[in-house]
Amino acid sequence: MVIFGAAGDLTKRLVVPALYNLVGAQRLPDEFRIVGVDLASKTDEEWRAGLTEMMQSFVGGEGEFAVDQINKTAWQWLTDRMSYVQGDLNDPQTYHQLDADLVKLDKTAGTAGNRLFYLAIADRFFSVAVGGLGSAGLVTESNGQWRRVVIEKPFGHDLNSAKALNAEILKHLQEHQIYRIDHFLGKETVQNIMALRFANGLFEPMWNREHIDHVQITAAETVGVEHRGKFYEKTGALRDMVPNHVFQLLAMTAMEPPISFDADAVRAKKAEVIQAVRPPDPARDAVRGQYDAGTVLGKAVKAYRQEPDVASDSNTETYIACKLQIDNWRWAGVPFYLRTGKYLKRRVTEIAIRVHQAPFTLFRGTDVERMHPNWMILRIQPGEGIGLEFAAKRPGPSMKLSNVALDFAYEDYFKTAPNTGYETLLYDCMIGDATLFQRADNIEAGWAAVQPILDLWGSKPPSSFPNYAAGGDGPAEADELLARDRRAWRPLDLTKHR
Ligand code: BG6
């Protein structure tokens, strides 16, 4: 495995810890080797030492990848297999040097000519690196040896740039060699949506417009822009989250059953449902927001415009809500409302499915004033699980109803080791299973669906930024988006997490 961007943040925080977990799970063969490539001048030893320091910082930490202690044997196993190449991505010499090193490893370590190139680098270098690899003959597959390239997000910044990037990399690679990552697909709960729908007789019969009133997909964060002002200023919440992560949730929820779990069968169904998204009327169906100063989880925080590397009159959105319609037989007339934003009240990523209301007829003349809606909640994070909300009769002589819940929590059934979410993704690249990766058509369909919003927002500056207080529910206009349809968002703090 070759990691471009070996000295970068992503390598240290996610890729290498994920490899370490794969060692612990005994998923890596003895012949496995890692070559790091970066511009910084470092010895093999210095590169390893920097990574070791990072690993130690996870011990006793609080993040998702907090570990009690580092397993010394596993870490040693991994670091023993690491070497470093200093090089500039623009310099052909880098690739020749790399080639020579890899050929040597084939002989000394038995790596058998199979290569996984991981581009943990800024997106403007994706095509540079692929071009360099291509020109040096490093991605040519022959004699049964595979060559694969993993590409991080962002994949383009709109439809045209995504198409151009695809065209550029496809000059050197075939589609089956490209693994475009969307880390949401590494989340067990996202993968579980398929199991929920297709491994049970209970849900799929009601999974359509006959039974479902609407769907709400929420990815609310309690972090702000952090130290990523430079990146975020030109990206914004829509590009950062919607055509990729939020659409993964949408596709998993709304896709037709594939004919098998074969990568292309699954990805074809996902592309199809995203392609069926009707172009939204952005003036009517999309709302943007930017956070003002406020209090998040008890801590006072600055407005977005005061963040480092952010313009004091920035028009970049940190929140988006939109209403989408999927123009196919299953979903005609069922709106999908999406929202995502930074510095909101509560961290919650979930898909809430609202079932049609039962008729009131029978309850007329009873003490029941209104019917309670049925909801099915797919909790992606935190408190991973699935909840079902329905009405029950309250004990007592008269007919009164309360909403009650059936709840499945992952932690009650399955014990999982701390993980970064990259383990499955990395392992799948190594075994050549592309199911959890984005094909070119998936990526382009995502951009095409949001392009009308990008176009309008790009040409018309917002008039009311900042328009929501950090630590709140988002802008009031987002509530109006649903109120117009006589619906309302589920409050962010409604779903109970343990
Ligand atoms: C990243 C975005 O892709 O996903 C971030 O660039 C965002 O802005 C993150 O915070 C959310 O991922 P997760 O796994 O923390 O929900």
Side-chain angles (χ1 to χ4, degrees):
M1 175 170 179
V2 177
I3 307 177
F4 287 101
D9 217 37
L10 180 70
T11 302
K12 284 196 229 164
R13 280 189 311 110
L14 291 166
V15 181
V16 170
L19 288 171
Y20 161 79
N21 283 338
L22 287 175
V23 179
Q26 300 190 326
R27 295 287 189 172
L28 300 180
D30 211 36
E31 298 82 3
F32 183 68
R33 291 293 182 281
I34 311 172
V35 181
V37 183
D38 213 310
L39 196 55
S41 154
K42 278 180 203 291
T43 61
D44 294 349
E45 221 13 84
E46 283 165 347
W47 184 45
R48 292 182 201 137
L51 295 173
T52 305
E53 211 174 286
M54 187 67 165
M55 282 300 286
Q56 270 150 1
S57 74
F58 294 123
V59 177
E62 286 188 350
E64 262 147 46
F65 183 60
V67 286
D68 296 335
Q69 57 180 41
I70 305 290
N71 174 336
K72 285 208 180 93
T73 321
W75 184 242
Q76 184 75 42
W77 189 98
L78 195 65
T79 47
D80 281 352
R81 285 166 173 73
M82 289 179 172
S83 55
Y84 184 82
V85 172
Q86 188 270 329
D88 182 340
L89 291 175
N90 289 299
D91 181 358
Q93 186 49 36
T94 304
Y95 304 91
H96 294 307
Q97 172 69 49
L98 183 61
D99 192 20
D101 282 20
L102 293 173
V103 169
K104 201 149 81 192
L105 281 179
D106 282 342
K107 296 207 183 89
T108 56
T111 40
N114 296 323
R115 321 243 196 273
L116 180 65
F117 298 99
Y118 197 110
L119 307 189
I121 50 181
D123 57 322
R124 63 182 188 283
F125 293 117
F126 291 160
S127 54
V128 177
V130 171
L133 289 170
S135 307
L138 275 159
V139 284
T140 312
E141 294 186 318
S142 60
N143 306 326
Q145 298 168 333
W146 53 259
R147 304 288 161 100
R148 300 178 189 141
V149 179
V150 183
I151 303 188
E152 273 290 337
K153 102 179 230 292
F155 198 95
H157 53 90
D158 59 11
L159 179 58
N160 283 339
S161 56
K163 278 187 174 165
L165 180 55
N166 273 326
E168 199 52 47
I169 61 177
L170 283 163
K171 283 184 196 158
H172 303 281
L173 297 165
Q174 293 173 46
E175 182 60 46
H176 77 266
Q177 296 179 279
I178 309 172
Y179 288 68
R180 300 175 191 81
I181 278 208
D182 182 313
H183 82 275
F184 261 47
L185 286 175
K187 296 183 194 288
E188 282 291 343
T189 32
V190 175
Q191 294 169 37
N192 185 49
I193 301 173
M194 282 215 271
L196 171 83
R197 291 186 55 197
F198 306 133
N200 295 294
L202 193 56
F203 307 115
E204 201 52 24
M206 55 149 287
W207 215 260
N208 55 51
R209 69 186 144 85
E210 302 290 334
H211 300 277
I212 293 178
D213 175 74
H214 74 279
V215 178
Q216 296 184 9
I217 302 183
T218 300
E221 300 191 84
T222 47
V223 291
V225 64
E226 299 173 295
H227 55 277
R228 299 161 74 214
K230 235 184 228 147
F231 159 80
Y232 206 81
E233 272 287 84
K234 55 183 172 39
T235 308
L238 170 56
R239 288 188 169 91
D240 191 34
M241 294 292 289
V242 179
N244 30 63
H245 305 330
V246 177
F247 276 11
Q248 291 301 338
L249 304 180
L250 176 99
M252 287 293 204
T253 309
M255 70 194 270
E256 294 299 316
I259 52 162
S260 73
F261 280 128
D262 173 72
D264 279 325
V266 173
R267 296 187 298 176
K269 291 300 175 195
K270 286 169 69 180
E272 215 171 76
V273 75
I274 304 287
Q275 283 157 358
V277 170
R278 187 191 309 166
D281 169 355
R284 213 185 123 76
D285 296 332
V287 168
R288 54 185 149 168
Q290 187 192 73
Y291 62 79
D292 203 345
T295 308
V296 185
L297 304 176
K299 210 177 125 223
V301 301
K302 285 192 263 191
Y304 176 71
R305 288 178 177 180
Q306 258 75 63
E307 298 275 17
D309 299 318
V310 170
S312 57
D313 58 351
S314 170
N315 283 331
T316 299
E317 82 284 354
T318 60
Y319 179 99
I320 164 166
C322 66
K323 171 183 171 181
L324 297 178
Q325 298 278 357
I326 298 176
D327 272 341
N328 65 16
W329 192 255
R330 186 190 286 263
W331 296 115
V334 181
F336 282 68
Y337 301 100
L338 320 179
R339 61 179 162 167
T340 179
K342 299 269 183 210
Y343 270 162
L344 294 171
K345 183 186 281 170
R346 182 105 181 268
R347 175 170 182 242
V348 42
T349 304
E350 68 179 25
I351 301 158
I353 297 161
R354 160 98 191 244
V355 178
H356 285 307
Q357 193 92 294
F360 189 61
T361 334
L362 193 58
F363 294 88
R364 208 168 281 140
T366 70
D367 286 346
V368 175
E369 284 172 4
R370 60 183 182 88
M371 304 297 275
H372 293 267
N374 295 149
W375 286 97
M376 180 165 182
I377 314 295
L378 316 186
R379 292 195 307 269
I380 306 299
Q381 61 189 21
E384 287 77 354
I386 293 168
L388 210 50
E389 294 177 10
F390 55 93
K393 181 184 169 298
R394 287 161 72 157
S398 61
M399 175 56 85
K400 287 187 179 158
L401 301 177
S402 273
N403 238 20
V404 297
L406 277 180
D407 198 71
F408 151 69
Y410 264 82
E411 62 178 15
D412 291 345
Y413 288 81
F414 309 112
K415 191 168 159 34
T416 50
N419 70 79
T420 65
Y422 270 64
E423 290 76 3
T424 307
L425 296 174
L426 281 177
Y427 181 70
D428 283 359
C429 304
M430 294 182 201
I431 61 166
D433 181 349
T435 313
L436 298 178
F437 295 83
Q438 299 266 74
R439 228 169 38 186
D441 57 347
N442 297 79
I443 296 260
E444 290 175 15
W447 283 117
V450 299
Q451 194 60 50
I453 310 178
L454 289 173
D455 289 342
L456 180 79
W457 288 5
S459 64
K460 198 167 166 249
S463 51
S464 58
F465 277 8
N467 61 350
Y468 72 95
D473 291 302
E477 294 94 316
D479 295 335
E480 287 152 27
L481 184 74
L482 270 71
R484 223 174 46 207
D485 297 345
R486 304 172 63 84
R487 296 187 175 105
W489 292 110
R490 283 174 63 84
L492 290 175
D493 45 5
L494 189 64
T495 307
K496 299 278 174 279
H497 302 142
R498 290 180 216 171

